[in-house]
Amino acid sequence: MTLLDLSARDREGKAATAVRPVWDSEPLRYLDEHGAPVEGGIRPTPALLDPGALLRGYRALRFARAFDTEATNLVMQGRLAVYPSCRGQEACEVAAVHALEEQDWLLPTYRDSAALVLRGIPAVDALTLLRGTWHCGYDPKQWRTMPQCTPLATQGPHAVGLGLAAKLAGDPAVALCFFGDGATSEGDFHEAANSAAVYQAPVVFLVQNNQYAISVPLHKQTHAISLADKASGYGMPGIRVDGNDLIAMNAVLAEAVQRARTGGGPTLIEAVTYRVQAHTNADDAARYRQSAEVEYWRRRDPIDRLGRYLTARGALDAAVEAEIDEECERYCEQMRAQFAEEPSYDADEMFEHVYDEMTPQLKAQREMLRAEEAAK
Amino acid sequence: MTLLDLSARDREGKAATAVRPVWDSEPLRYLDEHGAPVEGGIRPTPALLDPGALLRGYRALRFARAFDTEATNLVMQGRLAVYPSCRGQEACEVAAVHALEEQDWLLPTYRDSAALVLRGIPAVDALTLLRGTWHCGYDPKQWRTMPQCTPLATQGPHAVGLGLAAKLAGDPAVALCFFGDGATSEGDFHEAANSAAVYQAPVVFLVQNNQYAISVPLHKQTHAISLADKASGYGMPGIRVDGNDLIAMNAVLAEAVQRARTGGGPTLIEAVTYRVQAHTNADDAARYRQSAEVEYWRRRDPIDRLGRYLTARGALDAAVEAEIDEECERYCEQMRAQFAEEPSYDADEMFEHVYDEMTPQLKAQREMLRAEEAAK
Amino acid sequence: MSQGTEQISAPAAPLTMAKAINAALSDAMAEDDKVVVFGEDVGALGGVFRVTDGLAAKFGDERCFDTPLAEASIMGTAIGMAVYGFKPVVEMQFDAFAYPAFEQVFSHLAKMRNRTRGAVPVPVVVRIPYGGGIGGVEHHSDSSESYFAHTPGLHVVTPATVEDSYSLLREAIDSPDPVIFFEPKRLYWSKANVALPARTGRIGTAAVRRQGTHATLVCYGQTVPVCMAAAEQAAKEGIELEVLDLRSLVPLDDEAIESSVGRTGRAIVVHESVGFGGFGAEVAARIAERCFYRLEAPVTRVAGLDIPFPPPKYEHWYLPDADRVLDAVDRAMAAG
Amino acid sequence: MSQGTEQISAPAAPLTMAKAINAALSDAMAEDDKVVVFGEDVGALGGVFRVTDGLAAKFGDERCFDTPLAEASIMGTAIGMAVYGFKPVVEMQFDAFAYPAFEQVFSHLAKMRNRTRGAVPVPVVVRIPYGGGIGGVEHHSDSSESYFAHTPGLHVVTPATVEDSYSLLREAIDSPDPVIFFEPKRLYWSKANVALPARTGRIGTAAVRRQGTHATLVCYGQTVPVCMAAAEQAAKEGIELEVLDLRSLVPLDDEAIESSVGRTGRAIVVHESVGFGGFGAEVAARIAERCFYRLEAPVTRVAGLDIPFPPPKYEHWYLPDADRVLDAVDRAMAAG
Ligand SMILES: Cc1ncc(C[n+]2csc(CCOP(=O)(O)OP(=O)(O)O)c2C)c(N)n1
Ligand SMILES: Cc1ncc(C[n+]2csc(CCOP(=O)(O)OP(=O)(O)O)c2C)c(N)n1
Ligand SMILES: [Mg+2]
Ligand SMILES: [Mg+2]
């Protein structure tokens, strides 16, 4: 793969990884905001431009949007406790999931519910955390997907551990870890990135720079122009890519995953995107940003962009769109139905998973609670 | 000052700070290992080459070495609980202290006792921590010098706070913060550097890369070639300098302090040096490094190097050396005398500084202890 | 010192606890320009609970500002600023998000005065919204006061009433020592008719919220209204419970506790954080030791369960409520 | 389960606690190649206390390796590796240097099994050398067990004898749950004649180190030899003290405590960490509640002072010693 201009160097026995500084460059992209290939953009391999593959990507984007929209409806109907929307960031979600194979690990944040369903996790299980019915509703080992992480950047070291474990076990598995832009300010981000590079662990750090950490804009989060600039300090490649351009995202991620899988160590990717919705349904974005800004980014919508590209190439038409519409609607209907019923809760379960074997103290507390319930 | 090739840029309203990547460059230096100006080295201003100033620097180096040697003797005689030597790193200690004015703050680690005495703190007070007679033996506000910090990198955020406070107060004070190479792996280092850059706080981050964190060599601490590479990720200048070259150290620090003082924000400096002694007297360096390596670095001794330069220029001769010898010997004699006496300890003091006002619970505990002592 | 038996939520109340805390910050900032407020989202947004609403607009963004997302750095920056002469009031957005700042708190904030023989006090106030009952997902409902209370050098304070929330915060800002100020987030929207500026007594003093003779309910923060409700119910059955609101965990008002339990002879310690090794253990152990000869029943604790805080749908089982308190009261009354 | 009254330092002792722990690591690594050891300086150096001496040489640097200096990352890496199927045993170099890893411990290590309904256990062992008495400068003598014991999801264990140090570490490594393994650093060089591999009983069981009838000294880790010395002295005056070594703080062996104190009627809880809000409060509160009718004297605590751990020259005043324990015994004997 010669997608990126990685200037190989080897000095003092170090693996050749560092790349040209990215802070003075536009993010890498293939498509311009109107869905046309941009001049001087990246040159993906033919496989990455295969219309069938891209249509699959487009479907996934549409599906992610539909899921996100339905989840947003569900929270408004009180079916979810809270929902952090990924609207506008679907290309990151889709590219990340599509870049991985089954044996690879995904480390999502609270904002990456769409990635969970794209990975195949049933919506009820994926939304368990946000529904408030348990902390994590799927089996992370079955899906090679860690629980969604809320304490910011703390999933970074877990990705290092998973990657290092795979490396030590001799497995060709990769760990792909999501972060927000704000999370890059946390110590855990740094410790994880630095350790991953030292261990040359197969990890991809994917920062969705959606310009905000709740209300705090990027320029209060970093004084650098790009978050990918941090990579050189870790001695790893740092890539700044248009996070609303699925083709570019696919290309960049394919390369990073491949490098990780073949012993080339970690990569830091900054995907430049935008959080179109408020932080969560509980947030009031009008307090800290202008609607004109949101409009600017809506015009750079990842779905429209790829849709226009595919339409121009004859790979997408009204019939296919209708088909996708229907698929999405079916899925959402199913979601609505599933969330219409309240599951039953068993108070006993609170005590069952604290330890492998329940302690005598927990048994006593379970009895207390049972007695209380019986007395009601 | 045009000492360094800072390529100014201003994009998207950001202050112009980022510089060319340093990982592919030799550390900046003025003197080669034999004390001769190196070809293609930095070009310090005349003031920085003033023989009087340099002789003052040489004296300070000699003094630092004498102090460090005496402290090493004291620990062997059981007068100190532990001593982490800065032998070989004296140019960093001296340059840091000389770069500061009275109103500036210094943030030392456990290894920077020499910097404390260079700043004027009496040896008994400076060594209180390592003697075990109290945690910090000097008044940090009087000396504008924080207590020596042991939890690695945790002093970084304090430097940000001091710098930010000075900035908000409109004072032209700067905070200079020492770190070891190992400490750069800690989350607190990252959070401090990033925050300082965002606040454009007047802070100088001075990393003494002495190649080891106890037994762990640099290549297990970072996969980058230079620790200064981290700077670009923070959007601040990063400088890699020969930490055993006092002239280069002075030049680099003068510029960084000046930049901070005049609103130009923080700088990250990596001073490449070497820990000639074991981590502390309690450590056994033979377990993890070869003596040939130590020899290599002994030939790059910061004192010899400057000494030869000054001798060649006629600024230093045997008479001056003898004078310095005598000064140092007098100081060390005084130290020996001061440490020969055990001070008396007052158990009450343990309770006096926990809070401004002693809590009833602490008063009761003080009484208990008094009663115990009385019963003895 | 005591506030007597003020109603916790007065019916026609104009002031919420969130607003009272906001007023305390605003008044302190107006009085002393060394008081600065910073943290995540405290500026334009006014904090996720709107507690810092309007402060940036009123005092400018040098007095109230957003930080990068880095709690250790927020805490350490506050320490540095306090050393320089400022009085930082920092916000940790939620209880569990103060954990990354623990090293700064334990190794520096709590110890700086002592390390320097009193030369360097660090008057930092750390505001931490804490506790459950708001349907928060994991990491948003922890009660971490026990960690801090076990760490010498810190004051640990938590209001339960609107008036106290104002007053204790002002006291905290006035204090020359670091104060961990726990804000019971479930009570942010509780209301009371309060005339500001109110001062309800120094840090270190407890308040009897309701007088009683049969048993003492020792509580703080979120469990104070729970105990008040329990006491009201018990009163209907002729049991008069005294409700003692600690207000301050460190320093602890041993005298108030001893005087109350000495009279009633029975004590139930009620808090929301995990019971095992929790702050209630300290209170219970002290009572059991100091009131040994006056106790007519074992001191019992009603606390959070010894489990990670459960998901929203389960939290009603976790949270100590009036019924659970009354069960403990029944056991205490049956004894001795 | 109990180890009876084994001598804590046998006179002609060939094995130190440090060596026994080393042997436990080595044996566990030999038996199960999923066991990996990592941390700061644990490789070539063998750890600052030489506890991991020789492991890298014996098992290679994929099984025992130095990490970058980053405790949160060490902890988080261990979690990730455990999820993948390894059994990481990590070292925090000193007690206070575990603080930066607290968020990883509290928010993930302790909760992962529960968050995932049991699907993802994280069998990580965290070794923490703790406590004072070795003349360490600040931050090198903390006792942080109370923070961990208050955090559901963790087992908290600390050996006091050479045999237990081997056995409990093997149990910890075998455990499917995360175990915080506190190593009493002052006892690293204590010696005993021990035949390895020794197994002294499951995590969660206490051991009577000395039988007695007049009062029970409840202790763990570094205070066990202190209590043994106190008991020996008391015996000379005809007072027979029972010494109960908890071995495991979580789970706590309530039965053993109750059975002993139920018999003796008097309890003194002895530990080195700060007393206020410390683990001893939990033990004392439980005893006072559960043995209420059998107690002849108030349960007292002998613990570290409520101050930051003092400088080396002062630590003898801080550390609970046999005299301080005996003072408490005297008070207990005088009562009731
Ligand atoms: C350690 C920690 N501190 C604070 C928070 C509260 N918090 C939740 S989301 C958020 C903003 C995160 O911003 P970013 O990393 O950019 O991710 P985004 O929400 O934009 O996807 C904050 C401050 C948290 N979850 N964890
Ligand atoms: C948070 C923390 N972790 C671990 C330690 C133990 N420790 C003390 S010094 C040291 C090595 C530090 O290396 P470096 O930062 O390079 O500084 P140097 O000692 O070489 O000056 C370690 C691991 C500590 N003091 N603080
Ligand atoms: Mg964001
Ligand atoms: Mg070093």
Side-chain angles (χ1 to χ4, degrees):
Chain A
M1 269 208 165
T2 55
L3 169 66
L4 299 167
D5 169 32
L6 296 182
S7 47
R9 344 191 106 254
D10 194 317
R11 205 177 116 200
E12 298 174 12
K14 293 261 172 160
T17 46
V19 295
R20 68 191 154 78
V22 289
W23 51 262
D24 60 351
S25 62
E26 285 292 303
L28 298 177
R29 61 170 62 100
Y30 180 72
L31 295 177
D32 71 13
E33 62 175 283
H34 308 295
V38 72
E39 236 182 286
I42 59 165
R43 284 164 292 121
T45 57
L48 287 164
L49 290 176
D50 171 64
L54 286 178
L55 193 59
R56 190 171 74 99
Y58 181 76
R59 272 180 202 273
L61 288 176
R62 290 283 315 279
F63 169 75
R65 173 74 46 94
F67 166 81
D68 189 77
T69 307
E70 188 54 43
T72 301
N73 292 340
L74 287 172
V75 78
M76 291 191 303
Q77 293 155 20
R79 300 280 178 206
L80 299 180
V82 64
Y83 184 69
S85 165
C86 71
R87 191 182 186 94
Q89 305 177 214
E90 292 91 346
C92 300
E93 304 285 306
V94 168
V97 173
H98 285 187
L100 299 183
E101 295 177 7
E102 211 188 307
Q103 81 271 22
D104 297 328
W105 279 83
L106 183 71
L107 292 100
T109 78
Y110 50 87
R111 194 170 303 287
D112 305 307
S113 304
L116 302 185
V117 290
L118 288 164
R119 196 137 164 92
I121 298 172
V124 232
D125 299 343
L127 290 171
T128 295
L129 169 73
L130 302 169
R131 194 183 191 189
T133 49
W134 197 258
H135 306 297
C136 175
Y138 51 92
D139 178 346
K141 290 189 170 175
Q142 180 191 347
W143 297 102
R144 296 275 202 287
T145 301
M146 285 290 276
Q148 284 177 288
C149 189
T150 297
L152 295 164
T154 56
Q155 73 278 19
H158 306 166
V160 178
L162 287 163
L164 181 57
K167 182 179 169 172
L168 293 181
D171 299 339
V174 168
L176 189 151
C177 188
F178 278 115
F179 297 91
D181 47 312
T184 64
S185 299
E186 293 276 6
D188 276 25
F189 172 83
H190 171 76
E191 296 194 3
N194 189 57
S195 301
V198 168
Y199 300 140
Q200 287 291 290
V203 181
V204 177
F205 296 99
L206 175 54
V207 177
Q208 294 189 60
N209 173 4
N210 66 4
Q211 314 297 329
Y212 284 92
I214 307 186
S215 71
V216 180
L218 187 67
H219 70 89
K220 291 188 183 177
Q221 209 65 249
T222 180
H223 191 67
I225 289 168
S226 162
L227 296 170
D229 281 347
K230 294 192 161 66
S232 63
Y234 305 124
M236 66 168 84
I239 318 285
R240 191 167 191 238
V241 57
D242 186 331
N244 288 10
D245 176 350
L246 185 67
I247 298 175
M249 284 297 299
N250 284 342
V252 162
L253 275 164
E255 180 164 302
V257 168
Q258 173 69 5
R259 179 166 39 245
R261 203 184 300 290
T262 53
T267 301
L268 173 61
I269 298 170
E270 174 191 8
V272 181
T273 180
Y274 192 74
R275 195 196 73 207
V276 171
Q277 300 285 4
H279 173 65
T280 68
N281 53 294
D283 180 36
D284 176 9
R287 284 180 163 251
Y288 53 81
R289 71 183 186 188
Q290 308 284 324
S291 59
E293 185 185 289
V294 183
E295 280 319 307
Y296 171 91
W297 282 95
R298 276 192 196 277
R299 287 195 299 275
R300 278 149 188 82
D301 186 83
I303 303 184
D304 287 357
R305 217 191 277 190
L306 186 63
R308 286 193 211 160
Y309 173 82
L310 289 174
T311 307
R313 257 143 212 80
L316 181 65
D317 58 21
V320 180
E321 288 278 14
E323 207 182 283
I324 299 175
D325 281 345
E326 209 200 14
E327 261 171 41
C328 288
E329 187 38 41
R330 262 205 311 276
Y331 186 85
C332 292
E333 245 170 54
Q334 211 184 309
M335 268 176 79
R336 277 191 292 277
Q338 285 167 333
F339 283 88
E341 302 161 32
E342 270 293 277
S344 64
Y345 309 103
D346 181 1
D348 275 9
E349 185 156 19
M350 293 193 296
F351 303 97
E352 280 161 15
H353 313 299
V354 183
Y355 298 101
D356 178 53
E357 199 183 296
M358 205 180 292
T359 63
Q361 289 80 10
L362 285 178
K363 281 186 192 150
Q365 292 181 18
R366 185 181 57 181
E367 288 319 306
M368 175 195 78
L369 204 60
R370 283 180 181 168
E372 284 181 4
E373 291 300 294
K376 269 181 191 155
Chain B
M1 272 211 165
T2 56
L3 170 65
L4 299 169
D5 169 31
L6 296 183
S7 48
R9 348 190 103 252
D10 194 318
R11 206 177 116 201
E12 295 174 15
K14 293 264 169 155
T17 47
V19 294
R20 69 190 154 81
V22 288
W23 51 263
D24 59 352
S25 62
E26 284 294 302
L28 298 176
R29 62 170 61 99
Y30 180 71
L31 295 178
D32 70 13
E33 62 175 283
H34 309 294
V38 72
E39 236 182 286
I42 60 165
R43 281 164 293 121
T45 58
L48 285 165
L49 291 175
D50 172 64
L54 286 179
L55 193 57
R56 190 171 74 98
Y58 182 76
R59 273 181 202 274
L61 289 176
R62 290 284 314 279
F63 169 75
R65 172 75 47 95
F67 166 82
D68 189 76
T69 307
E70 189 54 44
T72 301
N73 291 339
L74 287 172
V75 77
M76 290 190 304
Q77 292 155 22
R79 300 281 178 205
L80 299 180
V82 64
Y83 184 69
S85 164
C86 72
R87 191 182 186 94
Q89 304 177 214
E90 292 91 345
C92 301
E93 304 286 305
V94 168
V97 173
H98 285 187
L100 298 183
E101 295 177 8
E102 210 187 307
Q103 80 271 22
D104 297 327
W105 279 84
L106 183 70
L107 293 100
T109 77
Y110 50 87
R111 195 172 301 291
D112 304 307
S113 303
L116 302 185
V117 290
L118 288 164
R119 197 138 163 92
I121 299 172
V124 229
D125 299 344
L127 290 172
T128 295
L129 168 73
L130 302 170
R131 194 182 191 189
T133 50
W134 198 259
H135 305 297
C136 175
Y138 50 92
D139 178 346
K141 289 189 170 173
Q142 179 192 347
W143 296 103
R144 298 273 203 287
T145 302
M146 286 290 275
Q148 286 176 287
C149 190
T150 297
L152 295 166
T154 56
Q155 73 278 20
H158 307 166
V160 178
L162 287 162
L164 181 58
K167 181 178 171 173
L168 293 180
D171 301 338
V174 168
L176 188 151
C177 189
F178 278 115
F179 297 90
D181 46 312
T184 63
S185 299
E186 292 277 6
D188 275 26
F189 172 84
H190 171 77
E191 295 193 5
N194 189 59
S195 302
V198 168
Y199 299 141
Q200 287 292 287
V203 181
V204 178
F205 295 99
L206 176 54
V207 177
Q208 294 189 60
N209 173 4
N210 65 5
Q211 313 299 330
Y212 284 92
I214 309 185
S215 72
V216 180
L218 186 67
H219 70 87
K220 290 188 184 178
Q221 210 63 251
T222 179
H223 191 66
I225 288 165
S226 163
L227 296 169
D229 282 345
K230 295 192 162 65
S232 63
Y234 305 124
M236 65 169 83
I239 319 286
R240 189 167 192 239
V241 57
D242 186 331
N244 289 10
D245 176 350
L246 185 68
I247 298 176
M249 284 296 300
N250 283 343
V252 161
L253 275 164
E255 180 166 302
V257 168
Q258 173 69 4
R259 177 164 43 243
R261 203 184 300 291
T262 53
T267 301
L268 172 62
I269 298 171
E270 174 193 7
V272 181
T273 181
Y274 192 74
R275 196 196 75 207
V276 171
Q277 300 284 6
H279 174 65
T280 69
N281 55 294
D283 180 36
D284 175 10
R287 283 182 162 251
Y288 53 82
R289 71 184 186 189
Q290 308 285 324
S291 59
E293 185 186 290
V294 183
E295 280 319 306
Y296 171 92
W297 282 96
R298 276 193 197 274
R299 288 194 299 274
R300 278 148 190 83
D301 186 83
I303 303 184
D304 288 357
R305 217 192 279 192
L306 187 62
R308 285 191 212 163
Y309 173 82
L310 290 175
T311 307
R313 258 143 212 79
L316 181 64
D317 58 20
V320 181
E321 287 278 13
E323 207 182 282
I324 299 175
D325 281 346
E326 208 199 17
E327 262 173 40
C328 288
E329 186 38 41
R330 262 205 311 276
Y331 185 85
C332 292
E333 248 169 53
Q334 212 183 309
M335 268 176 79
R336 277 191 291 276
Q338 287 166 332
F339 282 88
E341 301 162 31
E342 270 293 276
S344 62
Y345 309 104
D346 182 0
D348 275 10
E349 186 156 19
M350 292 193 297
F351 303 96
E352 279 162 16
H353 313 300
V354 183
Y355 298 101
D356 178 54
E357 198 183 295
M358 206 179 294
T359 62
Q361 289 80 9
L362 284 179
K363 280 184 192 149
Q365 292 181 17
R366 185 181 57 180
E367 289 319 306
M368 174 194 78
L369 205 59
R370 284 180 180 168
E372 285 181 1
E373 291 300 294
K376 270 178 189 158
Chain C
M1 295 288 171
S2 141
Q3 295 178 266
T5 56
E6 182 225 20
Q7 278 278 113
I8 284 181
S9 8
L15 195 64
T16 62
M17 184 181 284
K19 286 248 161 67
I21 296 175
N22 180 277
L25 291 170
S26 182
D27 291 355
M29 291 173 86
E31 267 179 34
D32 181 355
D33 63 12
K34 292 292 178 209
V35 177
V36 288
V37 169
F38 54 96
E40 293 157 9
D41 303 289
V42 300
L45 185 64
V48 295
F49 294 106
R50 304 292 181 269
V51 167
T52 58
D53 194 25
L55 299 178
K58 204 186 305 181
F59 298 100
D61 59 10
E62 301 213 323
R63 303 280 310 282
C64 175
F65 55 90
D66 292 330
T67 63
L69 236 164
E71 292 78 11
S73 175
I74 293 171
M75 196 64 74
T77 299
I79 292 169
M81 291 187 75
V83 172
Y84 201 93
F86 281 84
K87 289 191 168 187
V89 182
V90 297
E91 175 174 309
M92 299 281 109
Q93 199 161 79
F94 281 87
D95 24 62
F97 308 143
Y99 299 157
F102 269 25
E103 182 184 30
Q104 285 290 344
V105 173
F106 293 173
S107 294
H108 292 296
L109 186 68
K111 298 189 167 82
M112 192 67 79
R113 174 191 285 279
N114 185 63
R115 294 167 77 194
T116 59
R117 287 194 151 111
V120 185
V122 279
V124 172
V125 177
V126 183
R127 296 180 37 245
I128 308 183
Y130 82 117
I134 61 157
V137 298
E138 56 172 358
H139 313 293
H140 288 79
S141 300
D142 287 13
S143 292
S144 54
E145 69 272 21
S146 310
Y147 302 127
F148 294 96
H150 178 54
T151 308
L154 306 173
H155 286 314
V156 181
V157 160
T158 177
T161 71
V162 176
E163 202 178 6
D164 257 4
S165 74
Y166 179 94
S167 177
L168 281 172
L169 184 51
R170 293 300 304 270
E171 298 282 337
I173 296 171
D174 289 347
S175 170
D177 286 310
V179 179
I180 312 295
F181 190 81
F182 278 101
E183 301 179 359
K185 64 172 96 84
R186 188 161 35 138
L187 304 182
Y188 270 147
W189 304 279
S190 65
K191 290 181 185 175
N193 278 311
V194 169
L196 299 185
R199 289 283 179 140
T200 57
R202 294 192 52 191
I203 290 175
T205 56
V208 175
R209 297 286 171 211
R210 179 187 178 112
Q211 274 159 358
T213 50
H214 293 110
T216 304
L217 304 180
V218 185
C219 50
Y220 55 88
Q222 304 208 148
T223 55
V224 174
V226 172
C227 288
M228 292 298 280
E232 224 153 283
Q233 240 175 282
K236 290 183 197 140
E237 292 161 33
I239 299 176
E240 290 301 333
L241 298 175
E242 181 141 314
V243 178
L244 184 67
D245 173 1
L246 292 178
R247 299 170 76 247
S248 163
L249 278 52
V250 184
L252 183 63
D253 191 345
D254 274 323
E255 260 178 58
I257 298 171
E258 212 174 321
S259 127
S260 175
V261 181
R263 269 187 292 105
T264 61
R266 290 178 171 85
I268 295 105
V269 184
V270 188
H271 64 64
E272 190 182 309
S273 75
V274 163
F276 192 86
F279 188 73
E282 179 62 40
V283 178
R286 291 180 98 76
I287 295 175
E289 181 176 357
R290 301 164 73 101
C291 304
F292 186 72
Y293 300 100
R294 288 168 286 178
L295 282 178
E296 299 184 37
V299 181
T300 55
R301 288 177 279 162
V302 176
L305 307 170
D306 297 337
I307 62 172
F309 198 93
K313 301 286 186 185
Y314 292 73
E315 69 174 342
H316 64 285
W317 282 313
Y318 176 96
L319 296 169
D321 61 5
D323 283 344
R324 196 171 289 167
V325 172
L326 289 171
D327 285 348
V329 170
D330 286 349
R331 286 196 304 275
M333 296 309 295
Chain D
M1 295 289 171
S2 140
Q3 295 178 266
T5 55
E6 183 226 19
Q7 279 277 112
I8 283 180
S9 9
L15 195 65
T16 63
M17 184 181 284
K19 286 248 160 69
I21 297 174
N22 180 276
L25 292 170
S26 182
D27 291 354
M29 291 174 86
E31 266 179 36
D32 181 355
D33 62 10
K34 292 293 177 207
V35 177
V36 287
V37 169
F38 54 96
E40 294 157 8
D41 302 290
V42 300
L45 185 63
V48 295
F49 294 106
R50 305 291 182 268
V51 168
T52 57
D53 193 25
L55 298 178
K58 204 185 306 181
F59 298 99
D61 59 9
E62 302 212 323
R63 301 282 308 283
C64 175
F65 55 90
D66 293 330
T67 63
L69 236 166
E71 291 79 9
S73 175
I74 293 171
M75 197 65 73
T77 300
I79 293 169
M81 291 186 75
V83 172
Y84 201 92
F86 282 84
K87 291 194 167 185
V89 183
V90 298
E91 175 174 310
M92 300 278 108
Q93 199 161 81
F94 280 88
D95 23 62
F97 308 142
Y99 298 157
F102 268 26
E103 183 185 29
Q104 284 290 345
V105 173
F106 293 173
S107 294
H108 291 296
L109 186 67
K111 298 189 168 82
M112 192 66 79
R113 173 190 287 277
N114 184 63
R115 294 166 78 195
T116 58
R117 286 197 152 110
V120 185
V122 277
V124 172
V125 177
V126 183
R127 295 180 37 243
I128 308 184
Y130 82 117
I134 61 157
V137 300
E138 58 172 356
H139 313 293
H140 288 79
S141 301
D142 288 14
S143 292
S144 54
E145 69 273 19
S146 310
Y147 302 127
F148 295 95
H150 178 55
T151 308
L154 305 173
H155 287 314
V156 182
V157 160
T158 177
T161 69
V162 175
E163 203 178 5
D164 258 4
S165 73
Y166 179 93
S167 177
L168 281 172
L169 184 50
R170 294 299 305 271
E171 297 283 335
I173 295 171
D174 289 347
S175 170
D177 285 311
V179 179
I180 312 295
F181 189 82
F182 278 102
E183 300 179 359
K185 64 171 97 85
R186 188 162 34 138
L187 304 183
Y188 269 148
W189 304 279
S190 65
K191 290 182 185 172
N193 277 312
V194 169
L196 298 184
R199 289 285 179 139
T200 57
R202 294 192 54 191
I203 290 175
T205 55
V208 175
R209 296 288 171 211
R210 180 186 176 113
Q211 273 159 1
T213 50
H214 292 110
T216 304
L217 305 180
V218 185
C219 50
Y220 56 87
Q222 304 208 146
T223 55
V224 174
V226 171
C227 288
M228 291 299 280
E232 224 154 283
Q233 240 175 281
K236 290 184 196 140
E237 291 159 33
I239 299 176
E240 289 302 332
L241 298 175
E242 180 140 316
V243 178
L244 184 66
D245 173 2
L246 291 178
R247 300 171 76 246
S248 163
L249 279 51
V250 184
L252 184 62
D253 191 344
D254 274 322
E255 259 179 59
I257 298 171
E258 212 175 322
S259 127
S260 175
V261 181
R263 267 187 291 108
T264 61
R266 291 177 170 86
I268 296 105
V269 184
V270 188
H271 63 64
E272 190 181 308
S273 77
V274 163
F276 193 86
F279 187 73
E282 179 63 41
V283 178
R286 293 179 97 77
I287 295 175
E289 182 177 357
R290 301 163 73 100
C291 303
F292 186 71
Y293 299 101
R294 287 169 286 176
L295 282 177
E296 298 184 39
V299 181
T300 54
R301 287 177 280 161
V302 175
L305 306 170
D306 297 337
I307 62 173
F309 198 93
K313 301 285 187 185
Y314 293 73
E315 69 175 341
H316 64 286
W317 281 312
Y318 176 95
L319 296 169
D321 61 4
D323 284 345
R324 196 171 290 166
V325 172
L326 289 171
D327 286 349
V329 170
D330 285 350
R331 288 196 303 277
M333 295 310 297

